[in-house]
Amino acid sequence: MNDSTTLELTEGQQLALDQLHRIVQASRGSVAATHVAATADGYVEARVSVGCANLPPTQDGLRLRSVEAVTLRIPPDFPFRAPSVRTRHTRFAGAPHVNWGRHLCLYRSTATEWDPADGMYGFITRLLDWFEAAAAGQLDRPGEPLHPPNALTDHTAGLLVIRRDAPVARPDEPWLGAAVLHQVNDIRCDVVDWLAVEDPWPDSLEQLRESAALPADARAFLAPVVVTTKHLTFEYPLTARELVESLARDHITPRLLLGLTGFVAGHNRTLLCPDADADATVSTGDVEETPAAPVHLLLGTPSRGIAGDGPRRTHLVAWHLPDFADQVGRLAADTAFSGHAYLAELGDEVVRFGTDWLDRQSTRWMRVYEARPEVTVRRDHATPAAWLRGKRILVLGAGALGAPVADMCARAGAAHLTVADHGLVHPGILARQPYTDADIGFSKARVLADRLNRIDPHATRVEAFVGNVTTRLSALDLHTFDLIWDCTANRIVRAHLERARRTDTAPWPHLATLMIGHHATRGIAAISPRGATGGGTDVLRRTALAAHADATRAFDDLIDDFFPTTPPTELFQPEPGCSDATFTGSAADVIALAGQLATGVLHALAEPADRHTMAALVVRMPTGPTSTQPSGPCWLSWPNDTLATDKATGYDVRITPAALAEMRAEARRGVRVRGPRVETGGTLLGAIDDATGVIFIDEATGPPPDSLLTEAYFQHGLDGVSGHLSARRKATGNISRFLGMWHSHPHATAQPSATDRAAMTSLTLPLDDAPARALVLIAGGSPPVWHQWLATGDSPDLYAHLAARTASVTAEPPPSQPPAHLGPVRWWPGGYSTRPHGPVPVPVPRKGSRS
């Protein structure tokens, strides 16, 4: 290699030459470098020769010489920018990964493939690999993306965004037609539709907008399109004459190209100025425009796809033309249009004008951004957010949680998004909510909807719902949504949703309820999939019970933050005296929590439908490297409850699987110990929620030892009941309390007997804190139903009734005797006794708790 000491080199270029020198020395003659020289633009060029004699030619490969010479261009900031390489000939022109006849494309993406640490060693290895692949005909290796043609873009020529899948040429003739362009601004147009020459074309701008689903005030026009049957080259020419000559090889003649361009220009005049003469102006909306539209010629070639994997898709470039096409259209205005015939019937004046223009015009290629599904893969396609694409979403609340969640939905491509909130933007929320000073005093929902509508108006429509959700819930038409996000952190809203969900006869969408702790260090997402028995209120209640029940006390922080036994006395009011209490936390805190909670919800919904279950996701934020508090996500989940209905009140009775399993276990034990027809029963623990109309049965116990069990009667005892209930109240943070009593009707209908109905009028337990109401639950069923429940756990027939206490509480326990009208009967005590009692004479009954 020539001495480079006299050159003015940067530190990086000197490093590159030193590495190249060592490569040459170690190559044993297979790599040589000569003629090192600086260039006027600050690069250093070195001629490198690569020995290719050991690369045998193949049928599809390039014909390589025994030694191939290339020129390396080393940038001043090497190794932080990759060198480039070009040949001194054009023998490789037209081959894959050869641009403009000479430039070898070694990297698909230097940002991800170029490693500065490898330097020239990695670059020369890549060059040798390129020659090896070229000789083998594998520059486009099977399974890899094809390398589409290049066009040197001119930023002043404008920007084109392709949003609709492109047409494809037939095997024997090109596709000719027009693209429907939506002019977004002075430099950008979007391709929103295609029209083939043989298709009916819209007669008015209104029809064009309607067919392309554009707004009524959108500026739209047409651009000529040619899609060839084969790709032309791996770079597009720099002059119009060269381009037209290339197209002629695919039977696209200058006359055809000029005819199509002129026809489209003429049709644009008709659309934009239907009633004016050729020199008039046309008004579109409030802005005066000339009838001539910008002229863009779209050129498509079959150059996209995966090598060796089926037919190729169309690759598109856009040629920005001077305003000559309108003149072509005027010159050809009198020519009749009849399909392709028009394109061959141009007058001599049109041909002379167009030919003269082609001879002196250079090409100006627009920047093209792809947004069509057939050639692009969404960056979020393999993420949980992909579930949102095309869905209808409702976000309740546009605040710290609702705003980022709505933003995520819009960016994920939700088809329709409704943001509901009745609040206004005020100065204090700017610290963590995505609003600006200019938004103060305006509706949160409307400001947010306007901003989100600008993310991707072609994919997502966002509308605002301004109003109190609790009073206008029915106006939202909830059944039309696929997912509801409740981001209000409002108990009243949750209760309204729970009640509406319970009383609605139609299936509800998925419901996700999100909450943030007092200092934005924890968050909870309660998930109620479509078909779940409980909504957000129900799932959060289960979460609190599970947190209290955890023996490891891993959820004590969660209890203190979300489910304290006593309400917190220290409340944060950002504007004391005139604002609702809220939490302290920054934008970083709430956005991080919102993202984790939303991603978790979408993970759950993306699972197969048969695995959907009520669940809660608990997220803890990291608090520092020395913190001992656990961080990260934690999942809790529950299967659906068994449902019964109190027909008198219409309340739902939700029996947890654990409670029903305990009832079944006691019934099965009774069969073994007492026989198949002896009734049994016990205590129910849970809660009554009158706001939502739900009775929660969390636990069931068996009969206390002093209970009385017969084939026609069950009397609940009191031995140990008070202590058990007190312990359970304390263990659950007073969430689960005495609820009522259950008993069985083996092999009989789940309906109260005359004895049961008589006992309901005095139903209570003689406890100090006995409630004014108690639930009566009867489990029964015909012999097949009853046997099936005992054998497999299928649900029995159930009767539920919320009975009001009408008799006073007495501290005296009821006698362990059956009612007198039953006569002498054989009876069993509760507990674990295995011996029956009786038959015994029946005394006159005394007041007490009987059912």
Side-chain angles (χ1 to χ4, degrees):
M1 187 166 68
N2 289 357
D3 187 6
S4 61
T5 57
T6 60
L7 299 176
E8 292 186 8
L9 305 176
T10 66
E11 182 180 352
Q13 289 169 333
Q14 186 62 59
L15 172 64
L17 293 178
D18 291 343
Q19 292 177 342
L20 184 58
H21 180 69
R22 288 192 286 270
I23 292 169
V24 170
Q25 287 183 322
S27 69
R28 298 180 180 179
S30 62
V31 177
T34 60
H35 299 90
V36 178
T39 65
D41 57 358
Y43 281 73
V44 169
E45 292 186 348
R47 294 183 185 177
V48 174
S49 299
V50 178
C52 299
N54 62 338
L55 300 177
T58 61
Q59 180 179 354
D60 298 326
L62 295 180
R63 293 294 184 262
L64 303 180
R65 293 175 178 174
S66 59
V67 176
E68 288 288 350
V70 296
T71 298
L72 304 188
R73 283 175 50 84
I74 303 170
D77 51 352
F78 178 92
F80 303 108
R81 185 154 45 119
S84 61
V85 57
R86 67 187 182 193
T87 65
R88 301 177 64 192
H89 55 77
T90 57
R91 287 185 287 108
F92 300 157
H97 306 280
V98 179
N99 298 330
W100 297 282
R102 299 177 185 273
H103 292 262
L104 307 186
C105 184
L106 305 187
Y107 298 92
R108 293 182 183 275
S109 170
T110 55
T112 57
E113 298 179 30
W114 167 252
D115 186 351
D118 290 341
M120 291 300 294
Y121 303 107
F123 186 80
I124 295 300
T125 299
R126 197 80 171 210
L127 177 62
L128 297 176
D129 290 343
W130 191 95
F131 278 116
E132 183 177 349
Q138 294 182 348
L139 286 172
D140 276 332
R141 291 184 175 89
E144 292 185 352
L146 295 172
H147 193 297
N150 287 291
L152 286 176
T153 58
D154 182 348
H155 288 192
T156 65
L159 168 64
L160 202 66
V161 180
I162 314 294
R163 296 194 173 275
R164 289 290 299 271
D165 289 348
V168 178
R170 298 187 183 95
D172 56 345
E173 64 175 329
W175 188 94
L176 302 175
V180 179
L181 300 187
H182 171 209
Q183 186 169 1
V184 179
N185 52 45
D186 290 342
I187 63 170
R188 172 187 152 196
C189 292
D190 289 5
V191 177
V192 294
D193 206 356
W194 308 95
L195 297 171
V197 291
E198 59 269 19
D199 293 338
W201 287 27
D203 296 324
S204 66
L205 190 56
E206 290 72 21
Q207 288 184 11
L208 185 67
R209 290 166 176 157
E210 183 178 356
S211 65
L214 292 175
D217 59 347
R219 172 150 169 81
F221 58 93
L222 304 175
V225 181
V226 174
V227 180
T228 66
T229 61
K230 55 189 176 183
H231 71 269
L232 305 179
T233 178
F234 277 87
E235 68 282 334
Y236 286 113
L238 300 178
T239 67
R241 173 55 62 187
E242 290 176 310
L243 178 61
V244 170
E245 290 174 353
S246 298
L247 291 173
R249 302 188 197 112
D250 201 32
H251 309 292
I252 302 171
T253 65
R255 184 181 293 269
L256 192 66
L257 193 63
L258 291 169
L260 177 63
T261 305
F263 173 72
V264 173
H267 204 81
N268 276 332
R269 276 202 324 280
T270 301
L271 294 175
L272 299 176
C273 188
D275 301 321
D277 59 41
D279 297 322
T281 59
V282 61
S283 175
T284 56
D286 298 327
V287 181
E288 290 290 326
E289 301 285 355
T290 63
V295 181
H296 310 312
L297 172 65
L298 274 65
L299 177 61
T301 58
S303 307
R304 289 243 183 197
I306 303 299
D309 184 21
R312 297 185 176 189
R313 296 184 178 92
T314 301
H315 172 69
L316 290 164
V317 293
W319 183 13
H320 176 71
L321 307 177
D323 295 331
F324 92 103
D326 188 60
Q327 180 64 25
V328 172
R330 295 173 194 271
L331 294 173
D334 295 332
T335 306
F337 174 62
S338 178
H340 284 213
Y342 168 84
L343 307 180
E345 295 175 0
L346 293 177
D348 292 339
E349 185 180 0
V350 178
V351 174
R352 283 195 303 270
F353 172 81
T355 302
D356 178 65
W357 178 86
L358 291 172
D359 285 334
R360 55 185 171 81
Q361 181 63 42
S362 63
T363 52
R364 295 178 61 204
W365 298 106
M366 303 174 68
R367 283 181 297 158
V368 174
Y369 288 160
E370 291 287 6
R372 48 184 165 132
E374 65 177 345
V375 298
T376 58
V377 178
R378 287 182 59 92
R379 286 164 170 79
D380 61 358
H381 81 284
T383 69
W387 185 92
L388 291 164
R389 185 157 180 81
K391 299 292 198 303
R392 293 179 56 86
I393 308 298
L394 169 63
V395 179
L396 302 178
L401 273 176
V405 167
D407 186 274
M408 296 171 202
C409 294
R411 296 187 187 280
H416 185 278
L417 176 62
T418 298
V419 181
D421 199 301
H422 71 282
L424 304 178
V425 178
H426 57 85
I429 69 171
L430 303 185
R432 66 185 180 208
Q433 296 185 27
Y435 302 101
T436 67
D437 182 81
D439 301 327
I440 292 175
F442 292 96
S443 162
K444 278 188 184 181
R446 290 198 176 98
V447 171
L448 184 61
D450 288 344
R451 180 167 63 81
L452 297 183
N453 267 320
R454 294 194 291 271
I455 292 176
D456 190 354
H458 296 273
T460 303
R461 177 172 173 262
V462 186
E463 66 177 358
F465 179 90
V466 180
N468 191 321
V469 173
T470 59
T471 59
R472 298 186 59 199
L473 199 60
S474 60
L476 286 166
D477 197 6
L478 300 177
H479 301 108
T480 64
F481 296 100
D482 298 291
L483 170 63
I484 300 173
W485 298 92
D486 176 12
C487 300
T488 61
N490 188 311
R491 290 177 180 269
I492 300 173
V493 173
R494 288 203 297 274
H496 268 277
L497 292 173
E498 190 79 41
R499 188 178 188 91
R501 193 175 182 276
R502 177 187 70 81
T503 57
D504 206 328
T505 56
W508 258 46
H510 303 299
L511 172 64
T513 305
L514 273 54
M515 296 173 59
I516 281 182
H518 290 91
H519 301 289
T521 57
R522 303 172 191 86
I524 295 179
I527 306 168
S528 304
R530 183 180 288 108
T533 53
T537 296
D538 191 331
V539 175
L540 288 172
R541 183 178 180 278
R542 295 168 191 271
T543 305
L545 286 171
H548 280 286
D550 186 79
T552 67
R553 306 194 66 175
F555 296 105
D556 282 1
D557 63 323
L558 199 72
I559 295 172
D560 293 339
D561 211 353
F562 294 99
F563 315 111
T565 304
T566 57
T569 57
E570 294 183 5
L571 298 177
F572 172 62
Q573 285 185 284
E575 294 90 30
C578 61
S579 66
D580 294 332
T582 184
F583 64 92
T584 56
S586 67
D589 297 326
V590 295
I591 291 172
L593 283 170
Q596 293 181 78
L597 294 173
T599 298
V601 169
L602 297 174
H603 262 299
L605 298 182
E607 293 184 349
D610 58 353
R611 296 178 59 186
H612 285 175
T613 180
M614 290 180 288
L617 170 63
V618 177
V619 172
R620 297 179 174 95
M621 293 283 285
T623 55
T626 60
S627 174
T628 58
Q629 176 180 307
S631 61
C634 176
W635 282 98
L636 302 168
S637 62
W638 304 269
N640 274 343
D641 289 341
T642 297
L643 297 182
T645 301
D646 177 8
K647 294 183 179 179
T649 62
Y651 284 12
D652 266 6
V653 179
R654 301 178 185 174
I655 311 170
T656 64
L660 194 62
E662 180 61 31
M663 294 163 59
R664 175 173 173 260
E666 171 57 32
R668 285 165 59 88
R669 192 177 75 87
V671 171
R672 295 193 304 272
V673 174
R674 311 179 191 102
R677 296 190 175 276
V678 176
E679 294 186 9
T680 187
T683 306
L684 298 174
L685 289 86
I688 303 169
D689 186 339
D690 291 306
T692 63
V694 178
I695 301 172
F696 301 100
I697 300 179
D698 305 321
E699 303 177 35
T701 70
D706 59 335
S707 299
L708 187 151
L709 290 69
T710 75
E711 292 188 0
Y713 177 75
F714 169 73
Q715 178 177 288
H716 196 293
L718 294 177
D719 191 8
V721 172
S722 180
H724 176 72
L725 294 177
S726 177
R728 294 309 298 154
R729 282 197 305 273
K730 182 178 180 181
T732 63
N734 206 33
I735 296 173
S736 194
R737 304 175 294 276
F738 171 73
L739 180 62
M741 289 169 279
W742 73 275
H743 68 279
S744 64
H745 284 182
H747 307 284
T749 58
Q751 292 292 327
S753 64
T755 303
D756 295 329
R757 294 187 185 279
M760 286 181 192
T761 60
S762 59
L763 178 65
T764 187
L765 284 177
L767 303 172
D768 293 338
D769 57 352
R773 296 171 298 175
L775 179 69
V776 176
L777 184 70
I778 301 174
S782 62
V785 172
W786 185 257
H787 281 303
Q788 191 73 9
W789 180 46
L790 297 184
T792 66
D794 289 359
S795 180
D797 292 341
L798 295 167
Y799 167 85
H801 177 66
L802 189 59
R805 186 179 67 200
T806 58
S808 62
V809 177
T810 175
E812 184 180 358
S816 296
Q817 300 289 344
H821 71 271
L822 296 180
V825 294
R826 189 184 191 194
W827 61 275
W828 298 73
Y832 289 90
S833 174
T834 59
R835 294 178 178 273
H837 294 247
V840 297
V842 180
V844 177
R846 299 158 61 188
K847 286 187 177 180
S849 173
R850 298 184 178 99
S851 63

